[in-house]
Amino acid sequence: MSDVTANSANSTNSASSGTKATEIATFGGGCFWCTEAVFDEVVGVTDVVSGYTGGQLANPSYDDICAGTTGHAEVIRVTFDPAVITYAEILEIFFATHDPTTLNKQGADRGTQYRSAIFVHSPAQSEIAANTTAKLNAEKIWSSPIVTEVTNAAIFYPAEEYHQEFFKRNPNQGYCMAVVSPKLSKFRLKFVSKLKR
């Protein structure tokens, strides 16, 4: 399966190199300011980068993405230590912190760039994503079925610098106060055991 990053040939450390192995998870759950803020606080996560993937245009800008014509989704690329948190646990948080039943929208954000999507980096991730989706559908947590797209990881383009750590740097910005902060509060209450200390 493809695991291509625009600015990095290999973001996963090799256990044989003497460093701790890490794994990459890439997914979109609406505005990346929200998802990045959540996963910045997750134990075992060592890096979160906001960006774009899944489209046709090379090196898209935020303006390109907002036009909704490039096919890209707003996503985050999460680097994590699987010895501390598993991919299945990462997906549990992903599904619990957005609405995976609304096609091409999250709240007031509408367009294919806001779609619920998991971009898998290995057959193992693909299997876990399929099993997690089936389990959650069977549990009928939501009144509608999950519409989350599961597809192979493609080229990842990091978003412009001003998008990175946006909530941390702009907590009093209107969208952050109205949307990101409440989402973060709900996440902290639900996943106390998964918070960085």
Side-chain angles (χ1 to χ4, degrees):
M1 253 176 223
S2 172
D3 181 3
V4 184
T5 303
N7 291 350
S8 174
N10 184 2
S11 298
T12 304
N13 295 325
S14 168
S16 62
S17 69
T19 58
K20 185 179 288 187
T22 57
E23 192 173 336
I24 300 290
T26 304
F27 45 81
C31 175
F32 47 31
W33 297 348
C34 292
T35 50
E36 181 189 66
V38 166
F39 280 90
D40 270 341
E41 298 196 356
V42 174
V43 67
V45 169
T46 58
D47 190 39
V48 184
V49 180
S50 291
Y52 318 114
T53 196
Q56 302 83 38
L57 182 68
N59 299 304
S61 68
Y62 184 63
D63 287 341
D64 294 327
I65 301 303
C66 287
T69 59
T70 69
H72 291 87
E74 283 194 17
V75 299
I76 57 170
R77 183 185 62 189
V78 177
T79 304
F80 66 98
D81 180 354
V84 177
I85 188 166
T86 66
Y87 185 66
E89 291 172 313
I90 291 281
L91 287 187
E92 179 187 2
I93 296 168
F94 164 70
F95 277 112
T97 53
H98 82 295
D99 184 348
T101 70
T102 54
L103 188 63
N104 299 329
K105 69 171 188 165
Q106 286 296 307
D109 295 327
R110 296 171 185 267
T112 56
Q113 66 269 35
Y114 299 116
R115 66 189 181 270
S116 176
I118 302 169
F119 296 89
V120 296
H121 294 265
S122 68
Q125 285 192 357
S126 182
E127 182 177 358
I128 292 167
N131 290 342
T132 300
T133 302
K135 175 179 175 286
L136 292 173
N137 271 327
E139 291 173 355
K140 298 189 184 301
I141 294 171
W142 298 276
S143 57
S144 300
I146 291 171
V147 296
T148 303
E149 164 192 326
V150 179
T151 189
N152 290 349
I155 296 174
F156 172 85
Y157 298 98
E160 294 84 346
E161 183 57 33
Y162 72 91
H163 287 298
Q164 308 303 332
E165 306 295 338
F166 191 88
F167 178 73
K168 280 185 180 177
R169 294 186 287 108
N170 303 278
N172 297 318
Q173 191 264 3
Y175 185 91
C176 289
M177 292 179 69
V179 180
V180 184
S181 186
K183 179 176 290 230
L184 202 50
S185 294
K186 289 178 184 176
F187 156 72
R188 289 168 178 162
L189 285 172
K190 184 175 176 68
F191 292 97
V192 175
S193 65
K194 297 287 190 281
L195 294 176
K196 290 176 179 172
R197 302 297 178 199

